[in-house]
Amino acid sequence: MYSGVSCIGIMGVSGFIEGFSFLQRTKPRIRFLPYNIQCRNFSSSKILNGNDSLLPVLIVGAGPVGLVLSILLNKFGVQCSVLEKNKGFSQHPQAHFINNRTMEVFRKLDGLAEEIQRSQPPVNLWRKFIYCTSLTGPILGSVDHMHPKDFEKVVSPISVAHFSQYKLTRILVKMLENLGFGIHTIEDLEGLDPETLRGREILMGHECVSIDTTDECVTTTVSFSKEGKPLTRKIKSKILIGADGAGSAVRKLVGIELKGEKDLQKLVSVHFWSKELGQYLLNERPGMLFFIFNTESIGVLVAHDLTQGEFILQIPFYPPQQNLEDFNPEICKKLILKLVGQELSDIDVIDIKPWVMHAEVAERFVCGNNQIMLCGDAAHRFPPAGGFGMNTGIQDAHNLAWKIASVLKGVAPSSILTTYETERKPIAVFNTALSVQNFRAAMAVPATLGLDPTVANSVHQVINKGVGSILPSGMQKAILDGIFSIGRSQLSGLILNENNPLGSSRLAKLRHIFEEGKSLQLQFPAEDLGFRYLEGALVPDSKDVVPAPELPSGRRRDYVPCADPGSRLPHMNVKVLSNFPSEETISTHDLVSVDKVEFLLIIAPMEESYNLARAAFKAAKEYKVSSKVCMLWPADTITGFHRGSKAKLAPWKNYMDAIEVKRSSDSLSWWRTCQMTEQGAILVRPDEHIAWRSKSRIVGDPYAKMKMVFSTILGFKSTSMEPYLECLKLQDFEYWSVVLFYA
């Protein structure tokens, strides 16, 4: 996550969100072989459940999103393989901020979150953004993005992290190897069947070049090179996932267009090491981001690891007047020294990459008869401001994994996969708009200093497309450099000081921006933890009025826990009660299983709630889905009371008793935290989002209610006859005979 320092005209945020309201379906370039498939749940499920010789899931892209999806699917018992077009894993740091919700996902992945916390730099080395004229010169301002409550673990069982993407990838690959995955290069593929992979393979150097679908499978043709000779192979799978990044080959091959704003900014990313610089900043001015503005150069330095001295420098890039030859290693070293403000003897430039910032979301996330899905950057490309890119992608995978497992294990029809798009696309659109808003906030700082990014881009446009375009390229470059040099002269100490009226005014405005939280923000707790699915694999409240999408403010807002359907399950520490003397304290999130597709019903220990729990067990069994019940006892419960649950829930055994662990005497109870009463109930999905809740006791037959709940969540079609059949309490054979005849 970082900010650039210039901006091509950005659309208004409200206009951006509204721009996604009327998506035009483009004709896909994917080739569908002739077959007449009707849109019926049961037929499509048979397609995905049949032919056990096929690889269940093929994932294209071995970045963090694809690798996390592989781990989640493996935990749910679904075999998958991964393709990666590169011959090795990227060593470029790229994304580095891991938000609360993603760290919560990582908590459930065999100690991944704990490994990140052990390996990341101490938080005091990265909690600030620093604005300065050079890394050794005057500080214009700084913003501390960590609040004391961020470490108290009140609303989440874990804190955010600062950890480079390539280091995360390295850990994920090791985790997959421990799960039995093999990393295969071109040289060691001789023993693999060219068409039917069995799962747990990561194939390096394989690029997706075509996709064919039939009623039985997806056939992915991949190209690779062996001993200089180009070769292809076909891989058949039931489901294909495109997690292959912003330039996704899968997205292009299936003809899915991106909608939004292109080319917000062009930059050059310089990856370099300098322990000397790292030690200086560690001792003098530790921070995560350094925004540097001086008369010779402008840039944003991302401190990935001050202790090791690993950095990324982001520099504005204006092609075609500038080209990559203007950013060779020696020139980059000189730029770094200009921004540092003193000599360094150990600068080691590792990599130089140009890149373009976009704000776009795919028109569709699911296609090909629910057999092809897009995840991560393949589905959405954000400005990096706020670090939503990788985090949103990881959460895509978390949403999708249990749904794929439900279909492939015969629990749900394939129509449940469409809810992946229904749920995740609005989140992607919102996060894109929030990232744009945050990016605009970042641009307020240089604009206040007299370096209005819109002016810089207007000048560039005039040179590219206006009268300047007829000039020789060398003259165009000289004019551009000259104008930018004049602009940077406003950063001179003669102007930018308290004794100069203009400089004093600008510095006062800058302080106001920082004090009011109007600069680039790092954390967005309300959006990070409080996002909600309004429709999809859930049952909305019967009187739920769907609110209009709230426009992002670009400011940090606190998360307020709630238990609305589609929301993330609130966190509270609870103690699991048992007959053993050592009773474990865990988060409510830990009540949700990570090793199987299982729904969790949370109830208070009341007679009506026990009746509902028995009904939920019975309905879940009918739908062949695993379920678990947690009786959550108040904090002041007398020890031993919970032992009556066994008799009340018999013959069902998959339950647990837990008791609230309050932080203080005035802490809210669980049900008040959820803004509910203890007569209510909460049904939680495998991804820790609330599938259904009842605010009060169930009126009528609880079994009929829970059948409706599971049917709706899993996506089984209902008919207008169903309520009448429930009322008549027909036997199952009669019930299904009538329904099938009526359908």
Side-chain angles (χ1 to χ4, degrees):
M1 192 285 303
Y2 42 80
S3 166
V5 290
S6 69
C7 174
I8 296 173
I10 302 175
M11 64 171 63
V13 175
S14 61
F16 182 89
I17 294 179
E18 291 168 2
F20 284 89
S21 299
F22 305 100
L23 300 179
Q24 299 297 317
R25 302 282 179 168
T26 57
K27 185 177 180 180
R29 293 190 292 271
I30 185 170
R31 180 163 63 92
F32 292 95
L33 301 185
Y35 187 80
N36 183 22
I37 302 176
Q38 300 297 321
C39 295
R40 295 182 61 185
N41 291 329
F42 292 104
S43 64
S44 55
S45 293
K46 290 176 181 176
I47 293 170
L48 294 179
N49 291 332
N51 196 346
D52 291 336
S53 67
L54 288 177
L55 175 69
V57 180
L58 179 65
I59 300 170
V60 179
V65 174
L67 297 178
V68 167
L69 180 58
S70 303
I71 294 170
L72 290 168
L73 288 173
N74 186 78
K75 283 187 165 294
F76 287 138
V78 175
Q79 294 290 329
C80 63
S81 294
V82 184
L83 303 180
E84 171 55 48
K85 69 176 182 180
N86 296 306
K87 295 183 178 180
F89 295 101
S90 173
Q91 297 299 306
H92 203 79
Q94 296 173 287
H96 56 95
F97 178 66
I98 307 177
N99 68 20
N100 249 153
R101 185 62 188 131
T102 298
M103 286 296 283
E104 289 178 349
V105 174
F106 288 172
R107 279 185 73 249
K108 309 290 281 289
L109 299 184
D110 302 325
L112 174 58
E114 291 78 5
E115 177 67 20
I116 290 170
Q117 289 182 318
R118 284 193 299 269
S119 304
Q120 71 172 348
V123 68
N124 284 338
L125 300 185
W126 53 267
R127 62 191 297 159
K128 291 183 179 180
F129 291 177
I130 295 175
Y131 300 79
C132 54
T133 58
S134 74
L135 293 177
T136 56
I139 292 179
L140 301 171
S142 67
V143 180
D144 187 343
H145 291 281
M146 304 303 291
H147 296 184
K149 58 186 160 187
D150 295 333
F151 307 102
E152 294 172 355
K153 299 184 179 179
V154 174
V155 298
S156 176
I158 197 163
S159 300
V160 300
H162 172 47
F163 196 63
S164 300
Q165 181 173 318
Y166 78 93
K167 295 178 182 178
L168 173 61
T169 298
R170 189 183 299 161
I171 296 175
L172 293 172
V173 170
K174 183 64 177 176
M175 290 177 65
L176 285 165
E177 288 178 322
N178 292 339
L179 292 171
F181 278 70
I183 314 298
H184 300 279
T185 60
I186 302 300
E187 289 72 22
D188 60 5
L189 293 176
E190 298 298 339
L192 294 178
D193 189 309
E195 291 197 13
T196 55
L197 298 179
R198 295 297 180 181
R200 298 189 180 181
E201 301 102 349
I202 301 178
L203 306 186
M204 306 302 294
H206 282 62
E207 183 172 6
C208 176
V209 294
S210 73
I211 301 169
D212 296 327
T213 65
T214 68
D215 56 314
E216 295 181 351
C217 68
V218 181
T219 301
T220 304
T221 302
V222 297
S223 67
F224 60 98
S225 177
K226 187 171 184 180
E227 298 177 350
K229 182 181 179 181
L231 301 171
T232 62
R233 64 187 301 178
K234 296 181 184 295
I235 302 173
K236 297 181 183 293
S237 63
K238 297 178 182 178
I239 290 176
L240 175 67
I241 306 295
D244 48 341
S248 172
V250 173
R251 186 187 67 234
K252 294 173 183 176
L253 288 169
V254 299
I256 295 177
E257 300 293 335
L258 293 167
K259 188 175 180 62
E261 184 84 353
K262 296 180 183 292
D263 299 341
L264 294 179
Q265 187 178 22
K266 295 180 174 67
L267 299 112
V268 170
S269 177
V270 183
H271 180 202
F272 73 96
W273 294 79
S274 172
K275 283 196 173 183
E276 192 176 337
L277 177 59
Q279 285 302 309
Y280 170 79
L281 293 174
L282 188 152
N283 294 325
E284 300 296 329
R285 51 178 72 172
M288 176 191 283
L289 298 188
F290 298 83
F291 299 82
I292 312 161
F293 309 96
N294 63 46
T295 57
E296 294 189 272
S297 189
I298 292 173
V300 179
L301 186 74
V302 187
H304 280 264
D305 193 327
L306 290 179
T307 304
Q308 297 298 317
E310 184 176 20
F311 301 93
I312 288 286
L313 176 62
Q314 300 291 349
I315 309 167
F317 182 40
Y318 295 93
Q321 291 77 25
Q322 295 177 342
N323 56 57
L324 273 185
E325 294 177 0
D326 297 320
F327 297 93
N328 63 45
E330 286 304 313
I331 292 175
C332 286
K333 285 183 182 180
K334 292 178 181 178
L335 285 171
I336 292 167
L337 293 176
K338 289 177 181 178
L339 295 169
V340 171
Q342 70 179 30
E343 289 296 318
L344 296 172
S345 60
D346 65 343
I347 297 175
D348 184 12
V349 176
I350 303 299
D351 196 13
I352 301 167
K353 288 184 176 180
W355 65 282
V356 183
M357 186 187 300
H358 304 285
E360 299 177 297
V361 177
E363 290 189 320
R364 287 173 293 156
F365 285 19
V366 180
C367 69
N369 196 35
N370 302 334
Q371 293 167 282
I372 302 171
M373 281 130 266
L374 301 179
C375 258
D377 286 355
H380 39 71
R381 311 196 294 190
F382 303 157
F388 284 98
M390 182 183 73
N391 289 297
T392 304
I394 297 295
Q395 292 154 31
D396 288 343
H398 195 222
N399 180 285
L400 182 57
W402 74 271
K403 296 175 181 178
I404 290 176
S406 297
V407 173
L408 294 179
K409 291 181 176 297
V411 171
S414 70
S415 60
I416 197 173
L417 296 175
T418 65
T419 68
Y420 164 63
E421 177 178 320
T422 304
E423 294 177 352
R424 293 303 301 169
K425 185 176 177 183
I427 304 302
V429 171
F430 183 90
N431 286 351
T432 306
L434 180 56
S435 299
V436 170
Q437 182 83 0
N438 204 24
F439 178 61
R440 293 179 67 186
M443 296 302 97
V445 173
T448 300
L449 295 173
L451 300 173
D452 191 336
T454 60
V455 173
N457 288 296
S458 296
V459 168
H460 190 222
Q461 289 294 318
V462 169
I463 293 175
N464 278 341
K465 300 179 180 179
V467 293
S469 62
I470 64 174
L471 299 175
S473 58
M475 187 175 293
Q476 290 183 30
K477 186 176 188 303
I479 292 172
L480 188 69
D481 290 344
I483 292 174
F484 286 173
S485 179
I486 293 171
R488 290 194 303 270
S489 67
Q490 298 183 82
L491 301 169
S492 166
L494 296 174
I495 298 176
L496 204 60
N497 68 77
E498 294 292 352
N499 295 322
N500 183 303
L502 177 60
S504 177
S505 173
R506 288 176 174 175
L507 291 172
K509 290 178 181 177
L510 203 57
R511 285 192 296 271
H512 178 74
I513 288 173
F514 296 144
E515 291 167 0
E516 295 295 316
K518 294 181 179 179
S519 60
L520 179 73
Q521 298 298 299
L522 177 64
Q523 291 204 71
F524 294 89
E527 291 79 11
D528 174 9
L529 299 175
F531 68 87
R532 177 188 173 195
Y533 305 136
L534 298 180
E535 56 180 330
L538 53 89
V539 183
D541 286 344
S542 57
K543 297 181 181 179
D544 200 9
V545 178
V546 178
E550 183 179 355
L551 297 178
S553 67
R555 309 276 189 92
R556 172 174 171 144
R557 296 183 297 125
D558 288 337
Y559 160 72
V560 179
C562 74
D564 294 335
S567 300
R568 155 195 170 275
L569 179 70
H571 156 71
M572 175 179 279
N573 284 331
V574 298
K575 184 177 289 185
V576 177
L577 302 176
S578 66
N579 295 321
F580 299 100
S582 58
E583 294 169 339
E584 186 181 7
T585 297
I586 60 174
S587 167
T588 46
H589 290 191
D590 299 320
L591 301 172
V592 181
S593 175
V594 72
D595 296 319
K596 57 183 173 180
V597 177
E598 181 177 76
F599 287 81
L600 170 71
L601 182 68
I602 301 177
I603 60 172
M606 304 179 68
E607 191 61 40
E608 295 88 348
S609 298
Y610 282 118
N611 292 337
L612 179 68
R614 290 192 297 270
F617 276 129
K618 184 178 178 182
K621 182 179 180 181
E622 180 170 330
Y623 282 101
K624 300 180 181 179
V625 63
S626 179
S627 63
K628 179 168 62 179
V629 171
C630 174
M631 280 67 64
L632 195 50
W633 295 75
D636 56 357
T637 299
I638 299 174
T639 303
F641 271 29
H642 68 280
R643 291 171 186 161
S645 297
K646 181 177 181 180
K648 291 180 181 297
L649 291 176
W652 311 101
K653 298 179 179 180
N654 193 20
Y655 69 89
M656 65 172 63
D657 290 277
I659 188 170
E660 301 170 1
V661 177
K662 286 192 173 184
R663 294 177 55 84
S664 63
S665 59
D666 59 350
S667 296
L668 295 179
S669 70
W670 167 253
W671 297 106
R672 286 191 64 191
T673 296
C674 294
Q675 303 178 37
M676 296 172 59
T677 71
E678 63 181 8
Q679 292 182 322
I682 298 172
L683 185 67
V684 189
R685 308 188 319 191
D687 62 355
E688 298 161 14
H689 279 256
I690 294 169
W692 167 81
R693 59 99 177 260
S694 175
K695 291 183 178 180
S696 57
R697 68 184 185 88
I698 300 297
V699 177
D701 182 3
Y703 173 59
K705 180 68 174 181
M706 295 313 299
K707 281 186 66 176
M708 180 279 295
V709 167
F710 280 110
S711 173
T712 302
I713 294 166
L714 297 173
F716 289 103
K717 288 184 177 180
S718 62
T719 72
S720 58
M721 288 290 288
E722 188 167 350
Y724 300 101
L725 294 170
E726 288 292 351
C727 293
L728 292 172
K729 298 187 181 296
L730 295 179
Q731 296 297 319
D732 285 348
F733 174 80
E734 297 173 303
Y735 168 76
W736 286 110
S737 297
V738 175
V739 168
L740 291 173
F741 176 81
Y742 186 83

